[in-house]
Amino acid sequence: MSVKYSEKEPQKARFDQKAKVSIEITERDGNQFIVVKEHTEAETASTAEQAIEIPAALLPELKRVVAAIEDSDEADAEPSAGQAVNFAHKSEEEFARILDFYHIAWQYEPRAFEIEWDEEGNPTSSFTPDFYLPEHDQYIEITTLKQSLVTKKNRKVRRLRELYPEVNIKVLYASDFRKLIEKFAASGSWQEQENEREDEE
């Protein structure tokens, strides 16, 4: 099977060359690959071709990265309370509000770590921590789910630590999250933010 996409718009390249990019989805040994080819044609009528192969298993991650780039005004822009972020869970939104209140810079799901591969080296599983705090070089994973899902997530976190020992990650369990919310609410900060949200609406 081979699906092709071709962008025929000529680009101004060095030495007055014209470049054309084509994208193919091919299958080899039961695995799919995305092949990106750049065809360069010089004035001498000679052609050159460069190709990059990407495992199709990485397509969801590529889509997520492209979407993140398109949604951000600049490469290292930090989300803030004024920016719309589609959180997967209400607890993540609440945690982001606490970080905003204390002026802690954060990024939501900025990176996926590959943690399992098949026999040919293609990634089969990845783990994406919920938050990254760049000023502290700290990843945060919030877990407020039932125990069976928590156990599965703990395995992924252990695997992440084994493969990427340089990555600092902390898991915020349901009990930890409740204590954080209680402490935040007791300080009056939670009610202040609720009032501000109601005023804005």
Side-chain angles (χ1 to χ4, degrees):
M1 181 183 71
S2 180
V3 181
K4 296 186 179 182
Y5 166 81
S6 181
E7 181 182 322
K8 295 185 178 179
E9 181 179 341
Q11 301 175 355
K12 186 76 173 176
R14 293 184 199 175
F15 312 114
D16 294 320
Q17 296 174 338
K18 292 183 179 179
K20 183 175 71 172
V21 175
S22 66
I23 300 174
E24 301 176 12
I25 299 177
T26 62
E27 189 171 320
R28 187 174 66 251
D29 299 327
N31 296 307
Q32 288 188 329
F33 295 88
I34 302 166
V35 182
V36 182
K37 293 181 181 179
E38 182 183 34
H39 311 270
T40 304
E41 186 175 338
E43 289 184 339
T44 59
S46 62
T47 59
E49 182 179 285
Q50 292 183 341
I52 299 173
E53 275 194 3
I54 304 169
L58 288 178
L59 186 57
E61 175 64 13
L62 289 173
K63 286 181 178 179
R64 192 187 68 76
V65 170
V66 170
I69 292 172
E70 290 176 346
D71 291 342
S72 63
D73 293 330
E74 52 190 42
D76 59 348
E78 302 295 342
S80 67
Q83 292 177 306
V85 176
N86 294 321
F87 294 101
H89 195 273
K90 183 70 176 175
S91 60
E92 296 171 353
E93 182 179 359
E94 292 171 349
F95 185 67
R97 287 167 57 196
I98 294 173
L99 294 174
D100 283 337
F101 181 83
Y102 289 107
H103 306 289
I104 300 173
W106 54 271
Q107 297 173 358
Y108 181 64
E109 296 187 339
R111 179 181 174 187
F113 296 89
E114 297 171 1
I115 57 174
E116 290 180 4
W117 297 263
D118 62 20
E119 293 178 355
E120 275 126 25
N122 301 310
T124 58
S125 179
S126 63
F127 178 61
T128 306
D130 295 321
F131 289 89
Y132 177 61
L133 313 182
E135 294 174 357
H136 304 276
D137 189 25
Q138 177 75 61
Y139 285 91
I140 303 289
E141 175 65 21
I142 298 176
T143 300
T144 56
L145 305 170
K146 57 185 181 179
Q147 186 57 43
S148 61
L149 296 175
V150 170
T151 301
K152 182 178 178 181
K153 187 170 286 189
N154 282 339
R155 282 198 298 267
K156 287 190 171 185
V157 171
R158 282 197 300 272
R159 183 69 174 150
L160 173 71
R161 286 172 174 157
E162 290 171 5
L163 295 168
Y164 307 91
E166 75 282 2
V167 172
N168 299 315
I169 182 166
K170 177 175 177 55
V171 180
L172 204 61
Y173 295 99
S175 58
D176 301 321
F177 189 74
R178 281 196 298 272
K179 289 176 185 176
L180 182 65
I181 294 297
E182 288 168 5
K183 183 177 180 182
F184 190 62
S187 69
S189 306
W190 189 258
Q191 189 58 49
E192 288 173 16
Q193 281 210 346
E194 287 296 326
N195 293 338
E196 287 176 7
R197 283 162 60 91
E198 289 173 6
D199 292 341
E200 288 173 1
E201 294 172 358

